[in-house]
Structures are given as structure tokens and as C-alpha cells.
Amino acid sequence: MKRQVLLLISIFCLSAVIGQVSYSIPEEMVKGSLVGNIAQDLGLDVKRLKSGKARIYTGDSVQYIELNRERGVLIIKEKIDREVLCRQTTPCALHFQITLENPLELFPVTVEITDINDNVPVFQKRERGFEISESAVIGSKFMLEKAIDPDIGLNGLQRYTLKPSDNFLLKLHTQSDGSKKVEMILQKPLDREKHEHMSLVLTAEDGGEPQMTGTMQIHVTVLDANDNAPVFSKPVYKASVTENSVIGTLVTKVSASDADKGSNGEVTYVIGNSMDTVSKLFHINSEGDVILDGPIDYEKEKNYHIDIEAIDQGGLSDSSKIIIEVVDVNDNRPIVNMISTSGSVPEDSAHKTVIALMSVNDPDSETNGKVNCAINDNIPFEIKFTSNNFYSLMTDSDLDREISSHYNITVTCSDEGVPSLSSSVTLTLQISDVNDNAPVFERSSYEAYIVENNTPGLSIFTVRARDADWNQNARVSYILEDSSVNGVPVSSYVSVSADSGVIHAVRSFDYEQIKDFHFRVKAQDGGSPPLSSNVTVKILIQDQNDNPPQVLYPVQTGGSLVAEMVPRSADVSYLVTKVVAVDVDSGQNAWLSYKLQKATDRALFEVGLQNGEIRTIRQVTDKDAVKQRLTVIVEDNGQPSRSATVIVNVAVADSFPEVLSEFTDFTHDKEYNDNLTFYLVLALAVVSFLFITCLVVIISVKIYRWRQSRIMFHSNLPVIPYYPPRYSDTLGTGTLQHVYNYEVCRTTDSRKSDCKFGTAGSQNVLIMDPSATGTMQRIQSEKSILDEPDYPLEVRK
Ligand SMILES: *[C@@H]1O[C@H](CO)[C@@H](O)[C@H](O)[C@H]1NC(C)=O
Ligand SMILES: *[C@@H]1O[C@H](CO)[C@@H](O)[C@H](O)[C@H]1NC(C)=O
């Protein structure tokens, strides 16, 4: 150490004497490069260098430069790096001495090392990351790393650049030590949603030639902030759902996007309608599926407007709307309402008479609600669309109650949906009767038979007419039409029961007076106006053997005497006389036969059975009496037969005086006397009987009146009203009404009967009987008790 310090002092002293040599070389010269010709610069001969054993003295320092003694030059021995040698010191120089011996000389040499740009600016780390919230405010500062460039001066670090420079600016602050602080300043807001990651390149440049740069990667990660509200994909969503869809049906899907990340971007959906109906019918899940929650009925609501909201975790939201159209399904049958119906229409109603009005409604829409109505076939009605869902039911053709008294009209309304729905209503329409049918007799004409001598009031037979109408319009009354029979009104012959059509004989007919007659019966219904028809009834009277034969010859005179003369010379089979008789009856009843009933001498005369001729059957002899008396009976062939007797006086004489003397006692005939006596006795008996009867009747009446007056005095018994005779026969047509009034009197012998048809007023018998036939039967039974023979009633068809 002591030596070195001494040396340094001596060098200093020497150089001060000899002068100084300096060189300037750039750093990094290759080995062997020439630094300078030191021999020349020092003014020394090369030989001197050799002889003086010139050498470089650097002390302890590294020897970068060596001396070439042969050439007397300094050359680079070791590569010199200025930055190692001097760092930032400037100027940078190598100081050494060249020493010579013999004589000892010292020459200081200074070699200045100049900088060359051999260093690149270098960042300590190749990259750097930042996490910056997007909500960072403008002006926020971020410290960056400095670069290092060991070169100095221009070759040293000159400036920084940051690229891209969209969001950040570089700012350099010169610090007190001369170094620079590099800061990155936010000049434009970050948006994670646009650029979540940014790569910046920070470049450090020096000023050398050529320029050298160093770079560093800066990675900026933008951290999310809830700066974005969710956004629905559409302002309005449209969807449709068919009615009656099952609960749980997905109606539509909505989506809202949130540009934010993580929880800031998590969206939940809410139905905003506070209206209950909507929120009860739909719900929306976290995926944005709108799901049906309740029953949907097109007929109640045709569309729904749902306000929806999307909310992120940060509370930001967006709203949108869903319009849900309800699609109709044919789920409603048409409803048929009868607005007014007439339960019945008259059968003569005009065509197109409206019988019912109905309204038809189908709440479905379009074809599902389009309704067509029809009625069942084969009925005389039609249905017509009037207007606006109204239909009218009207008659289409003629109605006839007699064919169909009611109709079941089924109105079927069906819509046009697929499948179609329908409903029907049945209406029962009564057809009310109109008097459009006249009564019709069962036969076009009638013929009836009645045996003469009938009981008055006897029912002959019944006519019947039918009326196809109903009730009152079909109530047939029978009326006897006025006409005359032999100049007498027909009503005095027959009567017709108005209700039953029973034809009664009013009088007892006599075949011998009238054999037949005809009249018309009218059947009239109870309609208004009434309709009628008529029929001809022919009554044929049948003969009865009610007339005895009448002897026309010989004439029966009371007192005078007629006798037939038979000469005694008369031969066998001499025609004495001929009994001539007639019978007004007809047929068998008028077929007469003659018989000899009594004769003075039965062996002398005979009567022709058929012709009534009286002839002798033997020769008249002288012994035969002059006075011959024959009783001839004339009988008819009726059942029972009737007869008449005639007395024929025959005088068997040759001269008239002879006859006279014999016939004086003829008038006092024994037989005649017998008859007279019989009649006298009978008359006496009848008179006595009548007297006693009258006496009994008078006494009975007296007693009855006395009792009656006492009862009337003490009680308030109802007075039996008095009806005038034939009171109900007001029309006087001879038609029998409900009341019959007969008095029938008969003796046991009808041949000598005396019958009076109930003369009015003789006795008041009031028979209130609703059915005429009842009364009639009663009369008939009376008759059969009274009459010995039963007259057959014959109605020939
Ligand atoms: C109408 O309906 C009623 C009751 O349903 C039935 O008794 C009647 O026979 C029907 N009439 C016709 C003409 O079909
Ligand atoms: C009776 O009926 C016929 C038709 O059958 C008619 O021509 C005539 O006028 C009717 N007579 C009376 C009196 O009504």
C-alpha cells in the first residue's frame, strides 16, 4: 500500500513535468483494436520503448489496454464495457501510466471511453396485470414500472409510449433524483361489457442510433360493475294459447339479457300486473317461461296483457309486455232460447204464420260460433233466419187437425266448428180445431121398417153421423127437416132425438092408410158457423093383420030380410049365391077363405073355400025345410087370423008366398038375442065398476088435498115447479127433446083398442132424463106388458 501511494505521487509529479496523452475510444471495441500510437504521441522512439522496457502500469485495476512495443501502439486487450466500468459516471476514462526504465520515466495516459448504444431499455418484468373496476373514475392513476437502460445520454432511456392509448394516457413525473415515475391515467371510462380484457404495450425507447426499445405487456382486466340493466329481447311479445289448455302449458318464452357479469347479470322475471286475474292465470319462471296457471276461457277473456319485468341482482330492471291471444276452441254448444211460442195454432192458419221466435247464441268465435238451425223432416213447418241470431218458426203448408192434432217440432242448431256441437229444443204445437168438416152420415140413405099399429114413441131406428172435427165442432145434432107427408107435416109422423139420432114414431101407423114415406134428417155440428149434411130416410110400414074381412055381399041389414031362393028342382052343385068379402090388409092378411060354420042342414050346402060360392051338394028334396039358415065364416090368412061371419038365408021354395010365411020369425033370432043379453050384462058390470072407481078416486083426492094443505102450512118444503106441457119442444119441428110425455091407455084387446096419444095437459108427467134411449126403453117395456102380441121391429138394411 505504501509503495502504491508513493508511486501515484511520483507519476503525478512526472506527468506534471512531461505532459499528458489522452485518447478517446468507444466502448466495446474488439480485442486488438488500435487505441492510439503512443510512441509517436509521446515523441519517443520505438527503440527507446524496447530498451526502456516500456510497460503499462494500471496498478490493481484491470488492464484493458496493452502496449505493443514493436509498433509503439496501444491496442485493446480486454473488451471494455463502459457501463461496467463507469456505470452512470461520465465522462468515463481509463487512467494508466506507461513506465520506462533506463531512465525511469512515467507517462500518464488517459483513455476516455465513450458510450455506444449497446443497451436495450429493459423492464424488470415482462408483463404486468391490473384489475380495474369498470366503474373507475376518469383520472384514476395506476403506477407502472420503470425501464432501465444503462446507456447514458442519448443512448439512455428517452421516453415511454403506451399503446393502444384508447383508455389510458401515460404520464411521466420527473422525480427529485432525476428518474422518472411512469403513471397510467384513465382518460375514458372502461366498459367491461365491451372490453373485458385489454392488452397494452408499454414501450421504453432510448435515443441511440439505432434506437433500441424495451416493452412490457400490461394486462388490464376490467372488473364488472352493475352498470347494465337487463334488456328484454322484444318490446312486446305476442303469444297465443288455446282455451281449455291444461295447467302447466308453456305459453311463451321471454328473455332479457343483462350485459353484466355474475350476479349483476342474473335476471329474474316478475309479472307486474297487480290485477288478480292475470297473476292467477300465469306465472313466469326464472328461465322466462310463461306458464299457464289457471283455466282459460275464450268466452270470458279474449286476450291478456301481461306486464313483465326483468330484474337483476343489483336492482336494475326492464319491462316489457306480453299480449296473449286466447284461441277459441269449439267448446260451447249453441243455446236455443224460445222467446215466444204459441202453444197452438188454428188448422186454417195461413202459410208463413209465425208460431215461434227463438234466439240462438253460441259464444264461440268465427266458425265455432256460426250456427245453423234446422227442424225435423216431414212436418209442415220451416225455420227461417230472420236477423242477428234470431230464427222464426213458421207454417209451411196446410195444417189439418184431423190428420195430425199436434206436432213435435225439434229445432236442432249446430255450429260449424270441427267437431260441430249442437243442441236441440222440442216444441209441441197443438193444432186447434176449426169447423171444417161437416158431419157425414154413415149411409147415403136409410130404409127402415116398422110394423103398423106401433106404440107412439117407439124408436124406429137410429141415424148416425160422424164429424171429424173436435169437441164442439164435432158435436152433432140431428134435426128433422120440414116436409109433408100426404099434406101433413112430417113432424107429426116421426121425431128425431137431437142428441142420439134415434127416430121415434110419433103416432101409430096404419098400413092401410100409408105404406111408406120418406123425409130428410139433417146432421148439424156445433161449430160456428155450423156445417151440416142431410140424409134421406125412408120408412116402410109393414102390414099387420089388424082388419077382419068385410063381407060385401050378402049385405047385412038390421031388420030387413034377404034370402036366396033355391028351387026345389035345383040340381046338385047349384050355385045358390056367392059370399063376397074383402080384407083391407094386404098379402096373407088379405087372403080370404070361406067356410060354412053353421047350417040348418049341413048336408045340403057347401061353401067354396076360395071363392065363397055356396052350392048345393045334393038334390033338394021336398023334405027339406023352406027356411035354411047358413052361417059362413070368412077368415083371412093372417097370424092370428081374423074372421067375419055372415048369415045367409036360403029359401028352398018354388014360390015367393011360401017363402014369406016361413021367414016371419027370422028377425027374432035366438043367436041375436044371446048376443044382446051378453052385451047388456057387460055394460052393467062396466058401469058399476066405473062408479066404484070414481068414488074411490074422489075420496082419495079429498084426503090428499087435506093432508097437503096441512103440510104446506107447517113446513117450508120446496114447491115443485110446474112445467108446461111439451115445454122443451120449442122448435115445434117434431124433434123429440129430452122430455117425453105419453099417456098410453089400452084395453086388453088391441083390436078394440082405443088409444090416445098423450094429449097435453091431461096430466103433467115430467121425466128429466138425459138419455132419450132410457126413456124409450121404458116405454118399450111398458108396451110389452100391455100388448099381447109383440110387434116385431124390423129395420131392413
Ligand atoms: C210428441 O211427443 C210426445 C211426448 O214426447 C209423444 O207422446 C207423441 O207421440 C209425439 N207426437 C208425435 C206426432 O210424434
Ligand atoms: C141436402 O143435401 C144435399 C146434398 O147432399 C143438398 O144438395 C141439399 O141442398 C141438402 N138439403 C138441405 C135442405 O139442406
Side-chain angles (χ1 to χ4, degrees):
M1 273 295 273
K2 218 168 189 180
R3 256 181 76 191
Q4 211 168 9
V5 173
L6 279 172
L7 185 68
L8 267 172
I9 293 163
S10 64
I11 287 170
F12 182 71
C13 295
L14 274 174
S15 67
V17 179
I18 297 160
Q20 217 173 13
V21 177
S22 325
Y23 297 98
S24 179
I25 56 161
E27 60 175 330
E28 305 287 335
M29 289 180 80
V30 292
K31 242 189 243 180
S33 299
L34 178 75
V35 177
N37 195 337
I38 191 72
Q40 191 185 338
D41 292 335
L42 286 178
L44 295 173
D45 193 14
V46 179
K47 288 167 190 161
R48 168 65 192 146
L49 290 180
K50 280 183 187 163
S51 63
K53 293 180 185 169
R55 52 179 181 98
I56 287 173
Y57 174 75
T58 58
D60 293 335
S61 303
V62 179
Q63 192 180 338
Y64 292 100
I65 294 169
E66 65 176 354
L67 178 67
N68 188 328
R69 276 179 271 180
E70 269 77 55
R71 288 170 56 202
V73 291
L74 289 173
I75 54 171
I76 299 295
K77 186 190 177 197
E78 291 288 332
K79 202 171 179 180
I80 303 163
D81 187 354
R82 192 205 67 83
E83 284 74 32
V84 172
L85 203 62
C86 305
R87 297 183 187 279
Q88 293 298 304
T89 315
T90 178
C92 178
L94 286 173
H95 298 279
F96 56 92
Q97 279 86 37
I98 294 173
T99 59
L100 291 171
E101 295 174 9
N102 303 319
L104 185 71
E105 285 177 297
L106 278 176
F107 298 98
V109 177
T110 301
V111 177
E112 189 187 356
I113 310 297
T114 58
D115 189 38
I116 64 161
N117 195 18
D118 61 342
N119 281 290
V120 174
V122 170
F123 290 98
Q124 209 160 23
K125 291 180 188 161
R126 304 272 327 145
E127 47 191 20
R128 164 93 198 259
F130 286 99
E131 287 189 341
I132 306 169
S133 166
E134 59 179 327
S135 61
V137 294
I138 292 170
S140 300
K141 295 173 185 169
F142 304 93
M143 184 69 81
L144 297 179
E145 204 182 315
K146 289 181 281 192
I148 290 164
D149 190 340
D151 294 330
I152 52 159
L154 269 180
N155 291 334
L157 192 64
Q158 293 302 306
R159 57 178 185 274
Y160 292 93
T161 55
L162 187 66
K163 281 196 175 145
S165 58
D166 298 344
N167 292 85
F168 295 98
L169 273 183
L170 267 187
K171 196 163 185 190
L172 303 178
H173 294 276
T174 311
Q175 285 172 312
S176 52
D177 62 347
S179 67
K180 291 193 168 129
K181 195 170 87 177
V182 186
E183 277 179 340
M184 190 168 75
I185 293 171
L186 188 68
Q187 63 152 354
K188 191 178 153 198
L190 294 173
D191 190 352
R192 190 200 63 78
E193 289 70 38
K194 279 185 190 149
H195 306 287
E196 186 171 1
H197 298 283
M198 283 186 266
S199 254
L200 302 172
V201 179
L202 179 65
T203 309
E205 298 173 359
D206 59 19
E209 198 61 46
Q211 192 179 45
M212 303 195 97
T213 57
T215 58
M216 183 170 93
Q217 290 284 329
I218 297 172
H219 298 288
V220 176
T221 302
V222 184
L223 295 180
D224 188 50
N226 192 26
D227 58 345
N228 284 285
V231 177
F232 274 107
S233 57
K234 287 178 189 173
V236 174
Y237 293 89
K238 284 189 176 159
S240 61
V241 61
T242 50
E243 62 173 330
N244 306 333
S245 290
V246 292
I247 287 169
T249 302
L250 174 68
V251 178
T252 187
K253 196 171 167 68
V254 297
S255 72
S257 55
D258 192 310
D260 294 327
K261 215 182 156 185
S263 66
N264 290 336
E266 250 170 44
V267 176
T268 52
Y269 300 92
V270 197
I271 288 181
N273 298 49
S274 53
M275 274 163 57
D276 269 355
T277 52
V278 170
S279 58
K280 272 182 189 160
L281 287 177
F282 301 97
H283 80 264
I284 189 164
N285 68 11
S286 54
E287 268 77 53
D289 298 333
V290 179
I291 289 163
L292 190 63
D293 236 8
I296 295 263
D297 189 354
Y298 174 85
E299 286 69 41
K300 281 186 190 153
E301 199 79 55
K302 294 186 172 43
N303 52 48
Y304 293 95
H305 291 244
I306 306 177
D307 295 326
I308 47 170
E309 217 175 333
I311 305 171
D312 64 18
Q313 301 292 305
L316 296 178
S317 68
D318 186 22
S319 65
S320 181
K321 188 167 219 163
I322 311 175
I323 298 174
I324 297 177
E325 298 285 342
V326 180
V327 177
D328 187 42
V329 165
N330 194 18
D331 60 343
N332 286 282
R333 330 187 144 268
I335 299 159
V336 184
N337 281 317
M338 287 288 172
I339 295 171
S340 69
T341 59
S342 43
S344 70
V345 286
E347 56 180 326
D348 64 348
S349 298
H351 290 191
K352 311 292 178 202
T353 301
V354 175
I355 53 167
L357 267 181
M358 65 197 90
S359 75
V360 180
N361 269 310
D362 190 327
D364 292 326
S365 73
E366 316 231 321
T367 54
N368 290 340
K370 208 167 179 193
V371 178
N372 295 310
C373 290
I375 54 170
N376 44 331
D377 292 337
N378 305 325
I379 53 170
F381 302 97
E382 63 173 359
I383 189 162
K384 240 186 174 165
F385 178 77
T386 42
S387 68
N388 205 16
N389 299 339
F390 285 95
Y391 286 85
S392 53
L393 196 59
M394 53 181 73
T395 58
D396 188 27
S397 56
D398 291 333
L399 302 174
D400 190 354
R401 190 204 63 82
E402 285 74 38
I403 292 171
S404 182
S405 64
H406 72 279
Y407 289 96
N408 292 337
I409 305 169
T410 303
V411 180
T412 306
C413 292
S414 46
D415 59 29
E416 291 181 5
V418 179
S420 164
L421 293 176
S422 66
S423 53
S424 56
V425 167
T426 299
L427 174 111
T428 299
L429 182 73
Q430 300 292 339
I431 308 299
S432 61
D433 189 45
V434 166
N435 192 23
D436 55 354
N437 285 285
V440 176
F441 280 99
E442 286 171 342
R443 257 175 263 268
S444 58
S445 67
Y446 290 91
E447 234 177 46
Y449 294 84
I450 181 167
V451 179
E452 64 173 332
N453 300 322
N454 57 294
T455 324
L458 178 74
S459 69
I460 305 172
F461 83 117
T462 306
V463 291
R464 186 155 290 139
R466 307 228 173 267
D467 193 307
D469 292 323
W470 183 75
N471 207 5
Q472 189 65 26
N473 291 336
R475 183 167 294 165
V476 179
S477 309
Y478 302 92
I479 298 158
L480 182 67
E481 296 222 322
D482 258 345
S483 62
S484 61
V485 177
N486 296 342
V488 179
V490 73
S491 59
S492 62
Y493 282 81
V494 286
S495 68
V496 177
S497 165
D499 289 343
S500 59
V502 176
I503 294 175
H504 295 270
V506 169
R507 59 163 71 177
S508 181
F509 296 116
D510 187 355
Y511 178 82
E512 285 69 39
Q513 278 171 24
I514 183 163
K515 294 194 167 43
D516 61 60
F517 62 97
H518 56 83
F519 54 90
R520 286 184 163 271
V521 175
K522 185 164 84 172
Q524 177 172 297
D525 63 28
S528 173
L531 295 173
S532 66
S533 61
N534 63 58
V535 73
T536 303
V537 179
K538 188 171 183 184
I539 304 282
L540 298 158
I541 295 153
Q542 288 187 317
D543 186 43
Q544 205 183 32
N545 194 19
D546 59 342
N547 287 287
Q550 282 174 352
V551 179
L552 301 180
Y553 184 85
V555 179
Q556 300 290 292
T557 57
S560 66
L561 195 70
V562 181
E564 306 294 333
M565 291 280 283
V566 176
R568 286 190 184 271
S569 57
D571 260 344
V572 177
S573 199
Y574 173 85
L575 178 63
V576 180
T577 186
K578 182 179 163 93
V579 176
V580 179
V582 293
D583 193 315
V584 291
D585 293 326
S586 65
Q588 293 270 324
N589 295 337
W591 192 4
L592 299 181
S593 58
Y594 304 87
K595 278 175 204 153
L596 189 60
Q597 193 183 38
K598 266 184 198 167
T600 313
D601 186 353
R602 274 202 167 267
L604 190 55
F605 301 102
E606 64 166 12
V607 177
L609 186 66
Q610 305 296 333
N611 51 21
E613 286 174 357
I614 300 172
R615 290 176 186 270
T616 56
I617 47 174
R618 65 171 165 84
Q619 193 71 50
V620 179
T621 63
D622 290 342
K623 283 182 232 162
D624 292 326
V626 173
K627 200 170 72 174
Q628 290 286 342
R629 191 185 165 91
L630 305 177
T631 306
V632 176
I633 182 162
V634 185
E635 283 183 331
D636 59 25
N637 203 28
Q639 273 301 333
S641 76
R642 287 178 168 250
S643 62
T645 52
V646 62
I647 294 163
V648 181
N649 291 316
V650 178
V652 182
D654 287 331
S655 64
F656 191 69
E658 187 185 0
V659 176
L660 258 181
S661 62
E662 284 296 323
F663 271 82
T664 45
D665 58 350
F666 254 67
T667 48
H668 304 285
D669 196 276
K670 182 177 171 277
E671 211 174 309
Y672 176 78
N673 287 344
D674 286 352
N675 265 351
L676 194 68
T677 315
F678 171 73
Y679 284 124
L680 278 173
V681 170
L682 188 71
L684 193 66
V686 167
V687 168
S688 311
F689 175 73
L690 280 175
F691 176 73
I692 291 164
T693 309
C694 285
L695 213 62
V696 169
V697 166
I698 288 165
I699 291 166
S700 305
V701 166
K702 281 281 178 191
I703 291 168
Y704 175 76
R705 282 197 179 156
W706 177 77
R707 285 186 57 139
Q708 197 73 7
S709 65
R710 279 182 65 97
I711 292 163
M712 291 285 275
F713 189 74
H714 290 294
S715 67
N716 283 326
L717 278 179
V719 179
I720 298 160
Y722 170 82
Y723 293 97
R726 297 191 68 177
Y727 110 98
S728 50
D729 188 5
T730 47
L731 296 172
T733 56
T735 302
L736 273 180
Q737 302 291 337
H738 304 282
V739 177
Y740 301 92
N741 186 352
Y742 297 116
E743 185 183 16
V744 180
C745 58
R746 278 180 181 273
T747 65
T748 48
D749 188 356
S750 66
R751 267 159 280 185
K752 290 167 187 173
S753 71
D754 179 17
C755 184
K756 284 177 186 143
F757 176 65
T759 47
S762 62
Q763 196 174 353
N764 294 310
V765 181
L766 184 67
I767 305 159
M768 296 289 267
D769 192 337
S771 76
T773 45
T775 312
M776 201 188 70
Q777 282 162 356
R778 205 181 69 111
I779 293 162
Q780 269 186 314
S781 61
E782 267 177 17
K783 177 185 73 88
S784 55
I785 293 162
L786 289 166
D787 290 355
E788 315 136 3
D790 202 6
Y791 299 123
L793 174 71
E794 187 182 314
V795 179
R796 192 174 293 164
K797 297 183 176 181

